[in-house]
Amino acid sequence: EVQLVESGGGLVQPGGSLRLSCAASGFTFSSYGMSWVRQAPGKGLEWVSDISSGGVSTSYADSVKGRFTISRDNAKNTLYLQMNSLKPEDTAVYYCAKRRTNWYEGMDYWGKGTLVTVSS
C-alpha cells in the first residue's frame, strides 16, 4: 500500500543544482519522519538526511551539510531534497524512505530510487 516514487534525477555538471522529489502515498505522510539515502556506484548505502514529520527538525550527513536541504510539503505528500554545489562524488542513486514512528526503529519503506549523475 505504501508507495514512494522519486523523481528529479538526471545529469548535472559539477557545481550545479538539482531538486529531487518523492511522492508519497498509502500512509499518513504528515505523521512520519522521512529520510534520503543514496548509493554511489560500487559503494554501499549512505544516509544523507532526515526530516521530522512536521518538517521542523532536520539532520544531514557531514558530506552534504551546507549544500543539501531536505524539506517536505505535507499538504502535497511530497518530500524534497534540494542539492546545490554538486560534486562528482554526489553521483548516486537517491532513495527516499519512510521512517518508523520511533527513530531507533529505522526505516520501513523505500522508493525505487532516482539516479543523479554529476559529471562534466
Side-chain angles (χ1 to χ4, degrees), residues 3-69:
Q3 291 191 55
L4 300 169
V5 182
E6 301 94 338
S7 63
L11 176 64
V12 63
Q13 294 186 337
S17 298
L18 209 59
R19 188 183 75 162
L20 305 183
S21 297
C22 173
S25 62
F27 66 102
T28 304
F29 181 70
S30 61
S31 295
Y32 295 90
M34 298 290 292
S35 298
W36 287 99
V37 180
R38 68 185 182 185
Q39 185 169 35
K43 304 293 184 180
L45 293 169
E46 178 189 16
W47 169 78
V48 175
S49 184
D50 288 337
I51 188 166
S52 61
S53 59
V56 175
S57 180
T58 60
S59 58
Y60 301 89
D62 288 341
S63 59
V64 307
K65 194 170 299 180
R67 300 187 299 118
F68 290 11
T69 303

Short mmCIF file of all heavy atoms in Angstrom, two decimals, residues 3-69:
data_model
loop_
_atom_site.label_atom_id
_atom_site.label_comp_id
_atom_site.label_asym_id
_atom_site.label_seq_id
_atom_site.Cartn_x
_atom_site.Cartn_y
_atom_site.Cartn_z
N GLN A 3 3.59 3.68 -1.04
CA GLN A 3 4.34 3.92 -2.26
C GLN A 3 5.17 5.19 -2.14
O GLN A 3 4.67 6.21 -1.66
CB GLN A 3 3.42 4.04 -3.47
CG GLN A 3 2.75 2.73 -3.86
CD GLN A 3 2.07 2.83 -5.21
OE1 GLN A 3 2.68 3.19 -6.22
NE2 GLN A 3 0.79 2.52 -5.23
N LEU A 4 6.40 5.09 -2.56
CA LEU A 4 7.31 6.23 -2.57
C LEU A 4 7.94 6.28 -3.95
O LEU A 4 8.59 5.32 -4.37
CB LEU A 4 8.40 6.06 -1.50
CG LEU A 4 7.90 5.95 -0.05
CD1 LEU A 4 9.04 5.54 0.87
CD2 LEU A 4 7.31 7.28 0.41
N VAL A 5 7.74 7.38 -4.64
CA VAL A 5 8.21 7.50 -6.01
C VAL A 5 9.11 8.72 -6.14
O VAL A 5 8.65 9.86 -6.06
CB VAL A 5 7.05 7.60 -7.00
CG1 VAL A 5 7.58 7.67 -8.43
CG2 VAL A 5 6.13 6.40 -6.85
N GLU A 6 10.40 8.46 -6.35
CA GLU A 6 11.37 9.53 -6.51
C GLU A 6 11.38 10.05 -7.94
O GLU A 6 11.12 9.30 -8.89
CB GLU A 6 12.78 9.05 -6.15
CG GLU A 6 12.93 8.52 -4.73
CD GLU A 6 12.76 7.02 -4.64
OE1 GLU A 6 12.14 6.42 -5.55
OE2 GLU A 6 13.25 6.43 -3.66
N SER A 7 11.72 11.31 -8.09
CA SER A 7 11.87 11.91 -9.40
C SER A 7 12.83 13.08 -9.31
O SER A 7 13.16 13.54 -8.21
CB SER A 7 10.52 12.37 -9.96
OG SER A 7 9.95 13.38 -9.15
N GLY A 8 13.27 13.57 -10.44
CA GLY A 8 14.13 14.74 -10.48
C GLY A 8 15.60 14.46 -10.73
O GLY A 8 16.39 15.40 -10.88
N GLY A 9 15.97 13.21 -10.77
CA GLY A 9 17.36 12.88 -11.04
C GLY A 9 17.73 13.16 -12.48
O GLY A 9 16.88 13.42 -13.32
N GLY A 10 19.02 13.12 -12.74
CA GLY A 10 19.50 13.37 -14.08
C GLY A 10 20.96 13.72 -14.07
O GLY A 10 21.66 13.57 -13.07
N LEU A 11 21.43 14.21 -15.21
CA LEU A 11 22.83 14.60 -15.37
C LEU A 11 22.98 16.08 -15.09
O LEU A 11 22.24 16.91 -15.62
CB LEU A 11 23.29 14.29 -16.80
CG LEU A 11 24.70 14.71 -17.18
CD1 LEU A 11 25.73 13.95 -16.35
CD2 LEU A 11 24.93 14.47 -18.67
N VAL A 12 23.95 16.41 -14.27
CA VAL A 12 24.22 17.80 -13.92
C VAL A 12 25.73 18.00 -13.82
O VAL A 12 26.46 17.08 -13.46
CB VAL A 12 23.51 18.19 -12.60
CG1 VAL A 12 24.05 17.37 -11.44
CG2 VAL A 12 23.64 19.67 -12.33
N GLN A 13 26.19 19.19 -14.16
CA GLN A 13 27.61 19.49 -14.08
C GLN A 13 28.04 19.79 -12.65
O GLN A 13 27.24 20.24 -11.83
CB GLN A 13 27.95 20.68 -14.97
CG GLN A 13 27.77 20.41 -16.46
CD GLN A 13 28.23 21.56 -17.31
OE1 GLN A 13 28.31 22.71 -16.87
NE2 GLN A 13 28.55 21.27 -18.56
N PRO A 14 29.31 19.54 -12.33
CA PRO A 14 29.81 19.92 -11.00
C PRO A 14 29.52 21.38 -10.71
O PRO A 14 29.68 22.24 -11.58
CB PRO A 14 31.31 19.64 -11.10
CG PRO A 14 31.41 18.56 -12.13
CD PRO A 14 30.35 18.89 -13.14
N GLY A 15 29.09 21.64 -9.50
CA GLY A 15 28.72 22.99 -9.11
C GLY A 15 27.27 23.33 -9.38
O GLY A 15 26.78 24.37 -8.92
N GLY A 16 26.60 22.47 -10.09
CA GLY A 16 25.21 22.70 -10.42
C GLY A 16 24.26 22.31 -9.31
O GLY A 16 24.67 21.87 -8.24
N SER A 17 22.99 22.46 -9.59
CA SER A 17 21.94 22.18 -8.61
C SER A 17 20.89 21.26 -9.20
O SER A 17 20.68 21.21 -10.41
CB SER A 17 21.28 23.47 -8.14
OG SER A 17 22.19 24.32 -7.49
N LEU A 18 20.22 20.57 -8.32
CA LEU A 18 19.16 19.66 -8.71
C LEU A 18 18.21 19.52 -7.53
O LEU A 18 18.65 19.53 -6.38
CB LEU A 18 19.75 18.31 -9.08
CG LEU A 18 19.04 17.42 -10.10
CD1 LEU A 18 18.91 18.13 -11.44
CD2 LEU A 18 19.82 16.12 -10.27
N ARG A 19 16.94 19.39 -7.81
CA ARG A 19 15.97 19.14 -6.76
C ARG A 19 15.28 17.81 -6.98
O ARG A 19 14.67 17.58 -8.03
CB ARG A 19 14.91 20.25 -6.69
CG ARG A 19 14.00 20.10 -5.46
CD ARG A 19 12.91 21.14 -5.39
NE ARG A 19 11.84 20.87 -6.35
CZ ARG A 19 10.62 21.41 -6.28
NH1 ARG A 19 10.32 22.25 -5.29
NH2 ARG A 19 9.72 21.12 -7.20
N LEU A 20 15.38 16.95 -6.01
CA LEU A 20 14.70 15.67 -6.05
C LEU A 20 13.37 15.75 -5.33
O LEU A 20 13.22 16.48 -4.35
CB LEU A 20 15.55 14.58 -5.39
CG LEU A 20 16.98 14.41 -5.92
CD1 LEU A 20 17.64 13.24 -5.20
CD2 LEU A 20 16.99 14.21 -7.42
N SER A 21 12.41 15.00 -5.82
CA SER A 21 11.11 14.93 -5.19
C SER A 21 10.76 13.48 -4.89
O SER A 21 11.23 12.57 -5.57
CB SER A 21 10.03 15.52 -6.10
OG SER A 21 10.26 16.89 -6.35
N CYS A 22 9.96 13.29 -3.89
CA CYS A 22 9.47 11.96 -3.54
C CYS A 22 7.98 12.07 -3.25
O CYS A 22 7.59 12.70 -2.27
CB CYS A 22 10.22 11.41 -2.33
SG CYS A 22 9.56 9.86 -1.70
N ALA A 23 7.18 11.49 -4.11
CA ALA A 23 5.74 11.49 -3.93
C ALA A 23 5.33 10.29 -3.09
O ALA A 23 5.64 9.15 -3.44
CB ALA A 23 5.04 11.46 -5.29
N ALA A 24 4.66 10.55 -1.99
CA ALA A 24 4.28 9.50 -1.06
C ALA A 24 2.78 9.25 -1.08
O ALA A 24 1.98 10.17 -1.25
CB ALA A 24 4.71 9.87 0.36
N SER A 25 2.42 8.00 -0.90
CA SER A 25 1.01 7.64 -0.82
C SER A 25 0.87 6.35 -0.02
O SER A 25 1.84 5.63 0.20
CB SER A 25 0.40 7.47 -2.22
OG SER A 25 1.04 6.44 -2.94
N GLY A 26 -0.34 6.07 0.41
CA GLY A 26 -0.61 4.84 1.13
C GLY A 26 -0.42 4.91 2.63
O GLY A 26 -0.55 3.89 3.32
N PHE A 27 -0.11 6.07 3.14
CA PHE A 27 0.03 6.27 4.58
C PHE A 27 -0.16 7.73 4.90
O PHE A 27 -0.17 8.57 4.00
CB PHE A 27 1.39 5.76 5.09
CG PHE A 27 2.58 6.53 4.57
CD1 PHE A 27 3.22 7.46 5.37
CD2 PHE A 27 3.06 6.32 3.29
CE1 PHE A 27 4.33 8.17 4.92
CE2 PHE A 27 4.16 7.02 2.81
CZ PHE A 27 4.79 7.94 3.63
N THR A 28 -0.30 8.04 6.17
CA THR A 28 -0.48 9.41 6.60
C THR A 28 0.89 10.09 6.61
O THR A 28 1.62 10.03 7.61
CB THR A 28 -1.15 9.49 7.97
OG1 THR A 28 -2.39 8.77 7.95
CG2 THR A 28 -1.43 10.94 8.35
N PHE A 29 1.21 10.70 5.51
CA PHE A 29 2.54 11.26 5.29
C PHE A 29 2.97 12.21 6.41
O PHE A 29 4.11 12.16 6.87
CB PHE A 29 2.55 11.99 3.94
CG PHE A 29 3.86 12.61 3.57
CD1 PHE A 29 4.94 11.82 3.23
CD2 PHE A 29 4.00 13.99 3.54
CE1 PHE A 29 6.15 12.39 2.87
CE2 PHE A 29 5.20 14.57 3.17
CZ PHE A 29 6.28 13.77 2.84
N SER A 30 2.06 13.06 6.85
CA SER A 30 2.39 14.07 7.84
C SER A 30 2.68 13.50 9.23
O SER A 30 3.13 14.24 10.11
CB SER A 30 1.25 15.09 7.95
OG SER A 30 0.05 14.47 8.35
N SER A 31 2.46 12.21 9.42
CA SER A 31 2.70 11.58 10.72
C SER A 31 4.06 10.92 10.85
O SER A 31 4.40 10.42 11.92
CB SER A 31 1.62 10.54 11.00
OG SER A 31 0.34 11.14 11.14
N TYR A 32 4.83 10.92 9.77
CA TYR A 32 6.08 10.18 9.78
C TYR A 32 7.28 11.00 9.33
O TYR A 32 7.19 11.81 8.41
CB TYR A 32 5.98 8.94 8.89
CG TYR A 32 4.98 7.94 9.40
CD1 TYR A 32 3.65 8.01 9.01
CD2 TYR A 32 5.37 6.95 10.29
CE1 TYR A 32 2.72 7.11 9.50
CE2 TYR A 32 4.45 6.04 10.79
CZ TYR A 32 3.13 6.13 10.39
OH TYR A 32 2.21 5.22 10.88
N GLY A 33 8.38 10.76 10.01
CA GLY A 33 9.63 11.31 9.54
C GLY A 33 10.03 10.64 8.24
O GLY A 33 9.59 9.53 7.94
N MET A 34 10.87 11.31 7.48
CA MET A 34 11.33 10.78 6.20
C MET A 34 12.84 10.95 6.08
O MET A 34 13.44 11.79 6.76
CB MET A 34 10.64 11.50 5.04
CG MET A 34 9.13 11.34 5.00
SD MET A 34 8.60 9.66 4.56
CE MET A 34 9.12 9.58 2.85
N SER A 35 13.42 10.17 5.21
CA SER A 35 14.86 10.21 5.01
C SER A 35 15.22 10.13 3.54
O SER A 35 14.44 9.63 2.72
CB SER A 35 15.56 9.04 5.73
OG SER A 35 15.36 9.10 7.13
N TRP A 36 16.40 10.61 3.23
CA TRP A 36 17.04 10.36 1.94
C TRP A 36 18.29 9.53 2.18
O TRP A 36 19.07 9.83 3.10
CB TRP A 36 17.42 11.66 1.23
CG TRP A 36 16.27 12.44 0.66
CD1 TRP A 36 15.65 13.51 1.21
CD2 TRP A 36 15.62 12.18 -0.60
NE1 TRP A 36 14.65 13.96 0.38
CE2 TRP A 36 14.61 13.16 -0.74
CE3 TRP A 36 15.79 11.24 -1.61
CZ2 TRP A 36 13.77 13.21 -1.86
CZ3 TRP A 36 14.95 11.29 -2.72
CH2 TRP A 36 13.96 12.27 -2.83
N VAL A 37 18.46 8.52 1.37
CA VAL A 37 19.62 7.65 1.43
C VAL A 37 20.14 7.50 0.01
O VAL A 37 19.35 7.52 -0.94
CB VAL A 37 19.26 6.28 2.03
CG1 VAL A 37 20.48 5.38 2.10
CG2 VAL A 37 18.66 6.44 3.41
N ARG A 38 21.44 7.35 -0.16
CA ARG A 38 21.98 7.22 -1.51
C ARG A 38 22.96 6.06 -1.60
O ARG A 38 23.51 5.61 -0.61
CB ARG A 38 22.66 8.52 -1.96
CG ARG A 38 23.93 8.87 -1.20
CD ARG A 38 24.45 10.24 -1.63
NE ARG A 38 25.70 10.58 -0.97
CZ ARG A 38 26.32 11.74 -1.09
NH1 ARG A 38 25.79 12.70 -1.86
NH2 ARG A 38 27.45 11.98 -0.45
N GLN A 39 23.18 5.62 -2.82
CA GLN A 39 24.14 4.57 -3.08
C GLN A 39 24.93 4.93 -4.31
O GLN A 39 24.41 4.96 -5.43
CB GLN A 39 23.45 3.21 -3.26
CG GLN A 39 24.43 2.06 -3.41
CD GLN A 39 23.76 0.71 -3.33
OE1 GLN A 39 22.63 0.54 -3.79
NE2 GLN A 39 24.43 -0.26 -2.74
N ALA A 40 26.20 5.23 -4.11
CA ALA A 40 27.08 5.56 -5.21
C ALA A 40 27.49 4.28 -5.94
O ALA A 40 27.46 3.20 -5.36
CB ALA A 40 28.31 6.29 -4.69
N PRO A 41 27.90 4.40 -7.20
CA PRO A 41 28.31 3.22 -7.95
C PRO A 41 29.41 2.44 -7.24
O PRO A 41 30.43 3.01 -6.86
CB PRO A 41 28.82 3.81 -9.27
CG PRO A 41 28.07 5.09 -9.42
CD PRO A 41 27.96 5.62 -8.02
N GLY A 42 29.18 1.17 -7.03
CA GLY A 42 30.16 0.32 -6.38
C GLY A 42 30.31 0.53 -4.89
O GLY A 42 31.20 -0.05 -4.27
N LYS A 43 29.46 1.34 -4.31
CA LYS A 43 29.55 1.65 -2.88
C LYS A 43 28.31 1.16 -2.14
O LYS A 43 27.32 0.76 -2.74
CB LYS A 43 29.71 3.15 -2.66
CG LYS A 43 30.90 3.78 -3.38
CD LYS A 43 32.21 3.27 -2.82
CE LYS A 43 33.39 3.97 -3.49
NZ LYS A 43 34.69 3.49 -2.95
N GLY A 44 28.39 1.22 -0.83
CA GLY A 44 27.26 0.84 -0.01
C GLY A 44 26.29 1.99 0.19
O GLY A 44 26.48 3.09 -0.31
N LEU A 45 25.24 1.71 0.92
CA LEU A 45 24.25 2.73 1.21
C LEU A 45 24.81 3.78 2.15
O LEU A 45 25.53 3.46 3.09
CB LEU A 45 23.01 2.09 1.82
CG LEU A 45 22.19 1.17 0.91
CD1 LEU A 45 21.17 0.40 1.73
CD2 LEU A 45 21.51 1.98 -0.17
N GLU A 46 24.47 5.03 1.89
CA GLU A 46 24.90 6.13 2.72
C GLU A 46 23.69 6.98 3.09
O GLU A 46 22.99 7.49 2.22
CB GLU A 46 25.93 7.01 2.00
CG GLU A 46 26.40 8.21 2.81
CD GLU A 46 27.25 9.19 2.02
OE1 GLU A 46 27.26 9.12 0.79
OE2 GLU A 46 27.92 10.02 2.66
N TRP A 47 23.47 7.13 4.37
CA TRP A 47 22.41 8.01 4.83
C TRP A 47 22.76 9.45 4.48
O TRP A 47 23.89 9.89 4.68
CB TRP A 47 22.21 7.87 6.35
CG TRP A 47 21.33 8.92 6.93
CD1 TRP A 47 19.98 8.98 6.89
CD2 TRP A 47 21.77 10.08 7.64
NE1 TRP A 47 19.53 10.11 7.53
CE2 TRP A 47 20.61 10.80 8.00
CE3 TRP A 47 23.02 10.58 8.01
CZ2 TRP A 47 20.66 11.99 8.71
CZ3 TRP A 47 23.08 11.77 8.72
CH2 TRP A 47 21.91 12.46 9.06
N VAL A 48 21.79 10.19 3.99
CA VAL A 48 22.01 11.56 3.56
C VAL A 48 21.35 12.57 4.48
O VAL A 48 21.99 13.52 4.94
CB VAL A 48 21.49 11.78 2.12
CG1 VAL A 48 21.61 13.24 1.71
CG2 VAL A 48 22.26 10.89 1.15
N SER A 49 20.07 12.37 4.76
CA SER A 49 19.34 13.39 5.51
C SER A 49 18.05 12.83 6.11
O SER A 49 17.46 11.89 5.58
CB SER A 49 19.01 14.57 4.59
OG SER A 49 18.39 15.62 5.28
N ASP A 50 17.63 13.43 7.21
CA ASP A 50 16.36 13.11 7.86
C ASP A 50 15.54 14.38 8.03
O ASP A 50 16.10 15.48 8.16
CB ASP A 50 16.57 12.53 9.25
CG ASP A 50 17.11 11.13 9.27
OD1 ASP A 50 16.96 10.40 8.28
OD2 ASP A 50 17.70 10.75 10.31
N ILE A 51 14.24 14.20 8.10
CA ILE A 51 13.36 15.31 8.44
C ILE A 51 12.23 14.77 9.29
O ILE A 51 11.71 13.68 9.06
CB ILE A 51 12.82 16.01 7.16
CG1 ILE A 51 12.06 17.28 7.53
CG2 ILE A 51 11.96 15.07 6.33
CD1 ILE A 51 11.79 18.19 6.33
N SER A 52 11.85 15.52 10.30
CA SER A 52 10.78 15.11 11.19
C SER A 52 9.44 15.23 10.49
O SER A 52 9.31 15.83 9.42
CB SER A 52 10.81 15.96 12.46
OG SER A 52 10.61 17.33 12.16
N SER A 53 8.43 14.65 11.11
CA SER A 53 7.11 14.60 10.48
C SER A 53 6.55 15.98 10.13
O SER A 53 5.92 16.15 9.08
CB SER A 53 6.13 13.86 11.38
OG SER A 53 6.02 14.49 12.65
N GLY A 54 6.79 16.94 10.98
CA GLY A 54 6.30 18.29 10.74
C GLY A 54 7.27 19.17 9.99
O GLY A 54 6.94 20.33 9.68
N GLY A 55 8.45 18.67 9.72
CA GLY A 55 9.43 19.42 8.96
C GLY A 55 10.27 20.39 9.77
O GLY A 55 11.09 21.11 9.21
N VAL A 56 10.09 20.39 11.08
CA VAL A 56 10.80 21.34 11.92
C VAL A 56 12.25 20.93 12.16
O VAL A 56 13.15 21.77 12.16
CB VAL A 56 10.07 21.51 13.27
CG1 VAL A 56 10.87 22.41 14.21
CG2 VAL A 56 8.68 22.09 13.04
N SER A 57 12.46 19.64 12.36
CA SER A 57 13.80 19.14 12.67
C SER A 57 14.40 18.45 11.46
O SER A 57 13.77 17.60 10.84
CB SER A 57 13.72 18.17 13.85
OG SER A 57 14.99 17.67 14.17
N THR A 58 15.64 18.82 11.14
CA THR A 58 16.35 18.19 10.04
C THR A 58 17.76 17.83 10.46
O THR A 58 18.32 18.41 11.39
CB THR A 58 16.42 19.12 8.81
OG1 THR A 58 17.12 20.32 9.17
CG2 THR A 58 15.03 19.47 8.31
N SER A 59 18.34 16.87 9.77
CA SER A 59 19.72 16.48 10.03
C SER A 59 20.35 16.03 8.72
O SER A 59 19.66 15.59 7.80
CB SER A 59 19.81 15.39 11.09
OG SER A 59 19.07 14.24 10.71
N TYR A 60 21.68 16.14 8.66
CA TYR A 60 22.40 15.86 7.43
C TYR A 60 23.70 15.12 7.69
O TYR A 60 24.34 15.30 8.73
CB TYR A 60 22.74 17.16 6.69
CG TYR A 60 21.55 17.99 6.33
CD1 TYR A 60 21.07 18.95 7.21
CD2 TYR A 60 20.91 17.83 5.11
CE1 TYR A 60 19.96 19.72 6.89
CE2 TYR A 60 19.81 18.60 4.78
CZ TYR A 60 19.33 19.54 5.67
OH TYR A 60 18.24 20.30 5.34
N ALA A 61 24.09 14.32 6.72
CA ALA A 61 25.41 13.73 6.76
C ALA A 61 26.44 14.84 6.57
O ALA A 61 26.19 15.83 5.87
CB ALA A 61 25.56 12.69 5.66
N ASP A 62 27.60 14.66 7.18
CA ASP A 62 28.65 15.68 7.05
C ASP A 62 29.03 15.94 5.60
O ASP A 62 29.39 17.06 5.24
CB ASP A 62 29.89 15.25 7.83
CG ASP A 62 29.69 15.33 9.33
OD1 ASP A 62 28.77 16.04 9.78
OD2 ASP A 62 30.48 14.69 10.06
N SER A 63 28.94 14.93 4.78
CA SER A 63 29.34 15.05 3.39
C SER A 63 28.45 15.99 2.57
O SER A 63 28.87 16.47 1.53
CB SER A 63 29.37 13.67 2.72
OG SER A 63 28.10 13.04 2.79
N VAL A 64 27.24 16.24 3.04
CA VAL A 64 26.32 17.09 2.29
C VAL A 64 25.89 18.33 3.05
O VAL A 64 25.21 19.20 2.49
CB VAL A 64 25.06 16.31 1.84
CG1 VAL A 64 25.46 15.05 1.09
CG2 VAL A 64 24.17 15.97 3.03
N LYS A 65 26.27 18.43 4.29
CA LYS A 65 25.86 19.55 5.13
C LYS A 65 26.30 20.88 4.52
O LYS A 65 27.45 21.04 4.11
CB LYS A 65 26.44 19.39 6.53
CG LYS A 65 25.83 20.29 7.58
CD LYS A 65 26.30 19.90 8.98
CE LYS A 65 25.89 18.48 9.32
NZ LYS A 65 26.35 18.07 10.68
N GLY A 66 25.37 21.81 4.46
CA GLY A 66 25.65 23.11 3.88
C GLY A 66 25.38 23.19 2.40
O GLY A 66 25.35 24.29 1.84
N ARG A 67 25.20 22.04 1.76
CA ARG A 67 24.94 22.01 0.33
C ARG A 67 23.55 21.50 0.00
O ARG A 67 22.94 21.93 -0.98
CB ARG A 67 25.98 21.14 -0.38
CG ARG A 67 27.41 21.62 -0.22
CD ARG A 67 28.37 20.82 -1.09
NE ARG A 67 28.38 19.40 -0.74
CZ ARG A 67 28.03 18.41 -1.55
NH1 ARG A 67 27.63 18.69 -2.80
NH2 ARG A 67 28.08 17.15 -1.15
N PHE A 68 23.07 20.56 0.80
CA PHE A 68 21.76 19.97 0.56
C PHE A 68 20.75 20.48 1.59
O PHE A 68 21.11 20.77 2.73
CB PHE A 68 21.82 18.45 0.68
CG PHE A 68 22.57 17.74 -0.42
CD1 PHE A 68 23.34 18.43 -1.34
CD2 PHE A 68 22.49 16.36 -0.52
CE1 PHE A 68 24.03 17.76 -2.34
CE2 PHE A 68 23.17 15.68 -1.51
CZ PHE A 68 23.94 16.38 -2.43
N THR A 69 19.51 20.55 1.18
CA THR A 69 18.43 20.94 2.07
C THR A 69 17.25 19.99 1.90
O THR A 69 16.73 19.84 0.80
CB THR A 69 17.96 22.38 1.80
OG1 THR A 69 19.06 23.28 1.93
CG2 THR A 69 16.87 22.77 2.80
#
